[in-house]
Amino acid sequence: MWILLVSTSVTLAQTYPARPMTMIIPFAAGGPTDVLGRVMAQRMSEILGQQIVVENVGGAGGMTGSKRVADAAPDGYSFVLGTVGTHAQSQTMYKKPLYHATDFTPVALIAEVPIVLISRRICR
């Protein structure tokens, strides 16, 4: 005869987010990425019920701000508004980039921006 003893415990999950979050925009204030980020931060704050602090950390084509998030604790309270420049082009243009695209976890695609290369045709 087997007797099975089952114990259950109540585990209370923390509500997320429990404190303000930081959105790093890796470009100067007033540009298109900044405008998009600030509009998103306001709406995210309303939905999550927590303040979203926006910090513009420009420099090195966006790598300086992205590096700050790559070095932050992976707790979901710091995130970067990445672009093709910060997470694709910088990885191929620099011999030793400050971070790798794999250091980040993609969360959402918020905008698609077409990139076009235009050249003058030279006829001879």
Side-chain angles (χ1 to χ4, degrees):
M1 180 172 168
W2 289 86
I3 298 175
L4 180 64
L5 179 63
V6 178
S7 173
T8 60
S9 62
V10 177
T11 304
L12 299 175
Q14 291 183 358
T15 58
Y16 175 84
R19 58 186 169 90
M21 302 170 74
T22 303
M23 174 190 286
I24 302 292
I25 298 176
F27 300 103
T33 307
D34 180 55
V35 171
L36 178 62
R38 289 181 186 276
V39 169
M40 283 186 48
Q42 180 181 0
R43 184 65 179 134
M44 286 174 63
S45 180
E46 293 168 4
I47 292 170
L48 296 173
Q50 200 57 254
Q51 181 182 8
I52 307 293
V53 178
V54 176
E55 288 185 35
N56 292 86
V57 183
M63 286 199 311
T64 306
S66 297
K67 171 76 168 146
R68 181 182 292 184
V69 175
D71 292 342
D75 57 5
Y77 284 94
S78 294
F79 55 98
V80 64
L81 191 59
T83 66
V84 68
T86 60
H87 286 75
Q89 293 170 348
S90 66
Q91 302 302 297
T92 57
M93 290 177 59
Y94 298 98
K95 189 179 241 183
K96 294 182 182 179
L98 299 177
Y99 54 86
H100 297 285
T102 56
D103 294 340
F104 300 91
T105 302
V107 176
L109 175 64
I110 56 171
E112 288 188 36
V113 181
I115 298 177
V116 178
L117 175 63
I118 299 173
S119 135
R120 181 172 175 227
R121 181 176 174 180
I122 300 175
C123 298
R124 292 185 184 203

